[in-house]
Amino acid sequence: MQVVDLDRETVKRGLNDGTMLIIDVREDHEYESGHIPGAVSHPLSTFDPQAVAALIAADGRRPVLSCGSGVRSVHALMAAQKAGLDISEHYKGGFKDWYAAGEAIE
């Protein structure tokens, strides 16, 4: 399994230049309480690699998985890679790092 840890500054650059798609794998109630601007929700509890593959194909941006702190996003990476998806990047600090740094949220 390949896991590439991204930090907040890398995520911010990707969002600012429009090249990064953040896929938030936290549960719906967590996502609804606040998320990284532009992130799309795909909870780990109902994670469907085919739906994620379709989202990525339709969107065209570089997919990066994110969660609360970087643990569930690794589990989602494992599921995605096991299903044959070429996804290896996640936001290591996740939403907790983003929020703690005072970044904007939706």
Side-chain angles (χ1 to χ4, degrees):
M1 184 176 115
Q2 182 182 7
V3 177
V4 178
D5 297 332
L6 301 182
D7 62 14
R8 182 177 1 91
E9 290 305 315
T10 302
V11 170
K12 281 175 59 175
R13 278 193 305 275
L15 290 172
N16 288 338
D17 67 16
T19 61
M20 189 176 288
L21 170 65
I22 301 296
I23 301 171
D24 190 326
V25 299
R26 297 176 301 148
E27 296 306 308
D28 287 334
H29 69 277
E30 294 171 288
Y31 178 85
E32 290 166 8
S33 293
H35 55 272
I36 296 169
V40 296
S41 179
H42 277 277
L44 182 59
S45 64
T46 57
F47 193 77
D48 178 355
Q50 276 60 43
V52 171
L55 170 67
I56 293 166
D59 187 277
R61 292 178 288 170
R62 166 181 163 199
V64 174
L65 300 182
S66 180
C67 64
S69 63
V71 175
R72 287 177 283 180
S73 55
V74 171
H75 290 289
L77 280 176
M78 290 185 337
Q81 289 177 10
K82 187 175 181 180
L85 275 66
D86 185 21
I87 304 175
S88 59
E89 296 179 310
H90 82 120
Y91 178 9
K92 184 178 181 179
F95 184 74
K96 288 180 182 178
D97 176 65
W98 187 269
Y99 184 76
E103 300 291 350
I105 64 170
E106 292 183 336

